[in-house]
Amino acid sequence: MTATRNSRADVVAAAGRLFADRGYHGTSMRDLGQELGLLGSSLYSHVTSKEDLLVEVVAKGAGLFEAAASQATGRNGADRLRALIAGHVEVVVEHLDEVRTFLNEARFLDHEHRRRIVAARDAYESEFRAAIGQGLTDGSLDWDVDPKLGGIFVLSILNALERWYDPDGALDREALVGRIWAFVAAGKP
């Protein structure tokens, strides 16, 4: 049997899986080594600490959401909001481990890293507020809501996906986006 060579990307991906499943504090470096078939000394040739792995997984999650938002366009605010919703759903479905770690474990980052992640999260949220504000202005959204509160409502729905969405369930990605959009658009948060 040939020994498997793990890259840093393999280590980060395994850390993301374990953090998503067991939480940051519920995952030890020994657990990570076992997941990868590595001894502790070999694992430390890839990383310096468990916190470094958390930083990298959380930053990857933030980057995925940022990239999705940068691609969300539309002819009006409602179209842009629907594109933001679709992008968010895609990130959750395709990168569930990073999303779970980003949403649930970022609070364990040290102050400096947490500050940067909070800034990235705030910038992402501002994209939703801007799309809602645009939709209210251009008439494509018929809501009686402050854009900030509307953004909180929509993101609360989207962020809950990581807890209940089943990739093998009845709703595929497109159907999920359609259902969320129908609820958000008709519900007039």
Side-chain angles (χ1 to χ4, degrees), residues 30-154:
R30 176 172 288 164
D31 296 332
L32 185 55
Q34 288 175 341
E35 176 83 4
L36 293 163
L38 293 173
L39 298 174
S41 58
S42 298
L43 183 58
Y44 282 103
S45 69
H46 295 285
V47 296
T48 56
S49 71
K50 185 171 87 166
E51 184 175 31
D52 286 346
L53 289 170
L54 181 62
V55 168
E56 197 161 336
V57 175
V58 169
K60 183 176 180 185
L64 291 165
F65 284 124
E66 180 183 330
S70 72
Q71 296 175 16
T73 61
R75 67 181 186 277
N76 58 41
D79 287 348
R80 186 164 163 233
L81 181 60
R82 191 178 200 293
L84 285 164
I85 290 170
H88 193 101
V89 168
E90 181 174 342
V91 170
V92 172
V93 170
E94 296 296 324
H95 303 279
L96 191 55
D97 294 334
E98 292 89 346
V99 168
R100 283 186 172 145
T101 302
F102 172 77
L103 292 174
N104 301 316
E105 305 302 314
R107 66 182 185 249
F108 299 119
L109 292 171
D110 65 46
H111 176 73
E112 182 58 30
H113 289 106
R114 190 172 48 250
R115 184 186 63 72
R116 286 199 305 253
I117 292 303
V118 167
R121 183 205 63 204
D122 290 349
Y124 183 67
E125 288 177 7
S126 74
E127 295 289 333
F128 283 79
R129 288 191 302 269
I132 292 168
Q134 179 186 355
L136 295 173
T137 300
D138 67 27
S140 62
L141 293 173
D142 181 25
W143 296 352
D144 182 20
V145 69
D146 173 68
K148 181 177 181 178
L149 189 57
I152 290 170
F153 290 161
V154 172

Side-chain angles (χ1 to χ4, degrees), residues 100 157-167 171 176 180:
R100 283 186 172 145
I157 292 167
L158 294 173
N159 288 339
L161 288 175
E162 64 86 13
R163 290 189 295 277
W164 64 264
Y165 180 70
D166 178 4
L171 289 175
L176 182 59
I180 292 169

